[in-house]
Amino acid sequence: MNILIIGSGGREHALAHKIVQSPKCERLFVAPGNAGTAAIAKNVALGVSDFEGIKSLVLQEKIELVVVGPEAPLVDGIYDFFKADEALKSVAVVGPSQEAAQLEGSKDYAKRFMQRHNIPTAAYQSFTSETLEAGKQFLETLNAPYVLKADGLAAGKGVLILEDINQAKQELENMLANQKFGAASSTVVIEEFLDGIELSVFVLTDGKDYKILPNAKDYKRIGEGDKGLNTGGMGAVSPVPFADSAFLEKVEQQIVIPTVNGLKEENLTYRGFIFIGLIKVGDDPKVIEYNVRMGDPETEVVIPRIESDLVDLLLATDTQTLGSTAFSVNPQAATTVMLVSGGYPEAYEKGKTISGIENVEDAIVFHAGTAEKEGQVVTNGGRVIAVTALADDYKEALKKSYQNAAKLHFDTMYYRTDIGFDLS
Ligand code: AMP
Ligand code: GLY
């Protein structure tokens, strides 16, 4: 069958790399894709939320499966757009309905969902500009540090963690009264600070059954030792060494099952990936966020560990036959190291020639922000390339990721040399 992946990052290249290995995949399209996806699929220059353009492509190319990478089209309702259209409704779309996508699109919605289903998470209250004073009073009842979250999508920037109570009150006012994050911060969630170590668990669900995919830990800060500005993610490791079986059993019983059952009980249509951001507090998991998609760069370590046919699994979400679909995971560890443009996550230049890709051995180069220009691969984003390797343990895998990262070059290239530093 013909398949379409929507998106253009390392996540989409990793999905494409796996999907083309399926005997079920005839032609693969990626919209808009990057230089990496262009080598294994057909890129189509469409915006990820250009639903009419996507519709034309799907009809013209007889596409039967659509895999949505980023959150924006999901929150914008691409699933419902397909299901409401006579010509498109038989196409399998991997993702949640627009309503269920609010689990990522609104922090307040996600918190209320967790509360209704007794899913462990930080205590919280939500405030709007009308209740700004009550919000300040609520801050007085908490201990530092103070966690303020813009309710809506804010490109990963909407969470502030502040040590000082007066600064926290000021930022609350900036968000609510002065629209610091635009409409995204017209509601703010104030949350109890959770002290622990973060990891992510990924689930594929058909709304009835689920498969727990490999877990992963990403490294979000730009600087070594987890210092400096937040990025989309600078590297990842799977599996997470400190997530032992007793802990993962708690995650399944206390979080995954209540989440899938909660979707079912509330008639929220969901046929796709759930990315559960967790903090391990002592021995217990608590949810810090849901995302309604895979993570990037987590996908670059999660998907390479899946041994089963991914197309079978994705199609089973549409037919609600996930429970009887084969699923096995490679016990090896996978690591990825992200090569980024100098200056990222602030201003950076594009169009730098990337060299050395042909020298990579025993690792996979997933393109993130790349493009083709006059026969060359050039940088086209902040996060440029993820170098993924597999080995019997994460230290060996990291060694291979780093040996190969060192073979690649572009002007201003930077990467963290300490991915996994906190794991041993
Ligand atoms: P979120 O967008 O909700 O994942 O938050 C972004 C980041 O802020 C997370 O990855 C955590 O590092 C941190 N964070 C969010 N909520 C909390 C919390 N309640 N306690 C401690 N850290 C948090
Ligand atoms: N790496 C974090 C994310 O994809 O949201």
Side-chain angles (χ1 to χ4, degrees):
M1 68 171 58
N2 294 344
I3 300 171
L4 169 64
I5 298 173
I6 296 177
S8 63
R11 168 180 51 209
E12 288 74 21
H13 188 194
L15 288 166
H17 178 264
K18 177 75 177 160
I19 284 173
V20 292
Q21 292 171 33
S22 169
K24 293 221 168 64
C25 178
E26 284 170 48
R27 297 189 70 203
L28 178 65
F29 298 83
V30 185
N34 58 36
T37 61
I40 55 173
K42 182 167 171 41
N43 283 356
V44 185
L46 284 173
V48 298
S49 287
D50 177 0
F51 293 176
E52 289 299 333
I54 292 168
K55 173 177 175 175
S56 302
L57 175 70
V58 165
L59 295 178
Q60 188 185 324
E61 301 294 351
K62 301 190 168 49
I63 286 163
E64 293 176 76
L65 170 64
V66 177
V67 186
V68 186
E71 63 277 16
L74 294 166
V75 173
D76 290 345
I78 193 165
Y79 183 91
D80 309 66
F81 175 84
F82 270 72
K83 298 304 156 186
D85 188 304
E86 268 318 303
L88 295 179
K89 70 179 185 199
S90 64
V91 175
V93 179
V94 179
S97 62
Q98 186 165 25
E99 170 74 20
Q102 289 300 302
L103 287 175
E104 177 164 0
S106 163
K107 303 238 182 237
D108 180 58
Y109 182 97
K111 295 297 281 192
R112 284 188 280 122
F113 178 87
M114 286 185 257
Q115 215 167 32
R116 285 196 294 279
H117 301 287
N118 286 319
I119 294 166
T121 186
Y124 82 105
Q125 282 191 32
S126 297
F127 299 92
T128 62
S129 57
E130 281 89 62
T131 54
L132 171 58
E133 287 310 316
K136 290 182 180 172
Q137 282 163 23
F138 181 61
L139 283 170
E140 294 275 6
T141 70
L142 302 175
N143 297 318
Y146 304 94
V147 183
L148 307 183
K149 299 185 171 186
D151 176 57
L153 293 181
K157 299 199 171 71
V159 176
L160 301 178
I161 298 181
L162 304 158
E163 288 294 335
D164 178 73
I165 180 85
N166 292 319
Q167 205 188 346
K169 288 180 182 171
Q170 184 57 52
E171 288 292 359
L172 181 68
E173 185 159 338
N174 290 345
M175 287 164 96
L176 290 176
N178 308 330
Q179 304 239 312
K180 175 164 180 157
F181 299 106
S185 66
S186 57
T187 297
V188 172
V189 170
I190 301 180
E191 211 171 81
E192 162 201 16
F193 179 80
L194 298 175
D195 196 6
I197 185 158
E198 284 181 56
L199 72 156
S200 300
V201 167
F202 301 89
V203 174
L204 184 66
T205 185
D206 60 6
K208 236 171 57 181
D209 288 300
Y210 61 86
K211 302 285 189 204
I212 300 182
L213 309 181
N215 53 59
K217 173 159 177 47
D218 88 339
Y219 290 80
K220 290 202 178 94
R221 304 296 193 94
I222 189 70
E224 315 237 315
D226 284 344
K227 302 271 164 35
L229 294 174
N230 252 324
T231 71
M234 297 294 292
V237 174
S238 174
V240 180
F242 60 80
D244 58 24
S245 57
F247 177 78
L248 292 173
E249 179 65 19
K250 285 185 188 170
V251 171
E252 181 164 11
Q253 296 302 327
Q254 299 173 12
I255 295 168
V256 175
I257 293 174
T259 298
V260 173
N261 286 345
L263 292 168
K264 218 174 343 187
E265 279 165 29
E266 299 189 24
N267 285 318
L268 293 168
T269 303
Y270 207 119
R271 310 271 188 271
F273 297 104
I274 314 175
F275 164 161
I276 308 175
L278 299 172
I279 296 192
K280 182 173 184 257
V281 182
D283 287 329
D284 292 316
K286 295 205 180 209
V287 178
I288 39 171
E289 63 169 348
Y290 286 113
N291 293 309
V292 297
R293 52 173 173 86
M294 285 300 293
D296 193 349
E298 292 91 333
T299 306
E300 291 93 302
V301 290
V302 170
I303 296 292
R305 294 190 55 224
I306 296 178
E307 293 171 329
S308 319
D309 187 320
L310 185 62
V311 173
D312 281 342
L313 287 161
L314 298 175
L315 287 173
T317 65
D318 184 62
T319 50
Q320 294 196 291
T321 51
L322 203 53
S324 58
T325 303
F327 177 62
S328 66
V329 169
N330 179 344
Q332 284 191 306
T335 58
T336 202
V337 172
M338 190 65 81
L339 313 184
V340 306
S341 300
Y344 173 78
E346 297 185 290
Y348 56 84
E349 290 175 9
K350 297 182 184 177
K352 312 282 188 197
T353 302
I354 302 168
S355 60
I357 295 179
E358 67 285 358
N359 300 327
V360 168
E361 274 176 290
D362 204 14
I364 319 170
V365 170
F366 290 126
H367 290 233
T370 69
E372 263 175 346
K373 203 172 120 196
E374 292 154 11
Q376 289 196 311
V377 179
V378 300
T379 66
N380 193 39
R383 294 192 295 170
V384 176
I385 277 177
V387 184
T388 293
L390 286 120
D392 287 341
D393 65 53
Y394 80 89
K395 288 184 182 165
E396 282 303 309
L398 276 170
K399 220 181 271 176
K400 287 197 221 173
S401 284
Y402 279 122
Q403 276 164 357
N404 283 293
K407 297 177 187 167
L408 299 171
H409 178 78
F410 54 88
D411 187 25
T412 79
M413 179 175 107
Y414 164 79
Y415 56 89
R416 273 180 63 169
T417 63
D418 69 341
I419 299 304
F421 78 97
D422 53 349
L423 298 178
S424 55

